[in-house]
Amino acid sequence: MVASVKEGSKKKSWLKWGFGYAASAAAFLIPVVLLEPWVLGFAPVLLAFIMVHIWHVRRKTERALFNDICAILLFCTGGAAAYFLGGGGFDNGLTAVVLFNFLYFTGTVFFVKSVFRERKNRRYTYYSKIYHVVILAVPLLCGNPWMSLAYLFPLLRAYKFSGTTMKPMKVGILEIIGAVQFLIVAVAIFLTI
């Protein structure tokens, strides 16, 4: 629905799809809010990140790195809410959910930029490769060394493909594989802790 704020876009179509998605989301959200009204406490944070996105869309800078980071933080906030709904609290588990997801998806931003819009900008190729090496150390520093395994596939992907020309479908397939393996590894690790 945010895309409907673009000038000259197919507003009718965007609004139709936007309202459809909003209605679907509301159908799942309303029962949760009725049972657990405290989840509304996440609303101001979510709205702030959505407003950043709308601001970038209005200025046609939606591919800005800051906008991408805010989108990742938006989804990480959703992950935090889910963690609380699952019985978690302000603990190391919450930090892990937010931090490890943020690290993974920020890596996808650098990778995707390095094969599309910023492919000719060699800095993004270096950023992508260096970032993926650095994040391997974060789980070690956080006391979750096995979590580094979840970042091996993105590291290999970055070193093999960053800075190359790739078809969108191939990038999409790599992103799906990466996200699925990240989920499987993360769940397996946290179930054994």
Side-chain angles (χ1 to χ4, degrees):
M1 193 155 88
V2 172
S4 68
V5 300
K6 283 186 174 182
E7 300 287 328
S9 66
K10 299 176 185 175
K11 288 189 179 185
K12 207 171 190 181
S13 175
W14 284 112
L15 286 171
K16 175 184 162 189
W17 281 100
F19 284 122
Y21 284 122
S24 299
F28 289 100
L29 181 62
I30 289 170
V32 174
V33 170
L34 291 175
L35 292 171
E36 304 285 350
W38 58 265
V39 297
L40 290 174
F42 286 95
V45 177
L46 296 172
L47 287 173
F49 290 131
I50 290 170
M51 294 308 294
V52 168
H53 183 65
I54 290 172
W55 186 86
H56 279 282
V57 169
R58 297 283 296 175
R59 281 149 190 81
K60 298 183 181 181
T61 58
E62 54 266 41
R63 289 185 177 89
L65 180 61
F66 181 70
N67 189 43
D68 293 336
I69 298 299
C70 285
I72 293 166
L73 288 170
L74 173 78
F75 293 116
C76 287
T77 303
Y83 182 76
F84 280 111
L85 283 168
F90 287 100
D91 54 23
N92 290 338
L94 175 64
T95 302
V97 166
V98 174
L99 176 64
F100 294 142
N101 278 288
F102 177 79
L103 292 174
Y104 176 80
F105 288 104
T106 299
T108 68
V109 167
F110 284 118
F111 173 70
V112 170
K113 284 187 180 299
S114 78
V115 295
F116 287 140
R117 299 245 175 226
E118 301 292 340
R119 183 181 65 248
K120 294 179 182 175
N121 183 346
R122 301 307 295 169
R123 287 185 304 169
Y124 269 94
T125 299
Y126 298 129
Y127 295 160
S128 178
K129 291 178 178 179
I130 291 167
Y131 179 85
H132 284 90
V133 169
V134 170
I135 63 172
L136 284 175
V138 176
L140 300 172
L141 298 172
C142 293
N144 292 316
W146 290 106
M147 195 60 198
S148 293
L149 294 174
Y151 299 116
L152 289 178
F153 177 81
L155 174 71
L156 297 173
R157 176 197 64 194
Y159 270 82
K160 181 158 179 64
F161 297 111
S162 287
T164 65
T165 302
M166 295 181 70
K167 292 183 178 179
M169 179 176 264
K170 186 173 183 179
V171 174
I173 290 169
L174 282 173
E175 289 303 303
I176 291 168
I177 292 169
V180 169
Q181 73 81 38
F182 177 79
L183 176 65
I184 291 169
V185 171
V187 167
I189 289 168
F190 285 100
L191 286 177
T192 59
I193 293 178

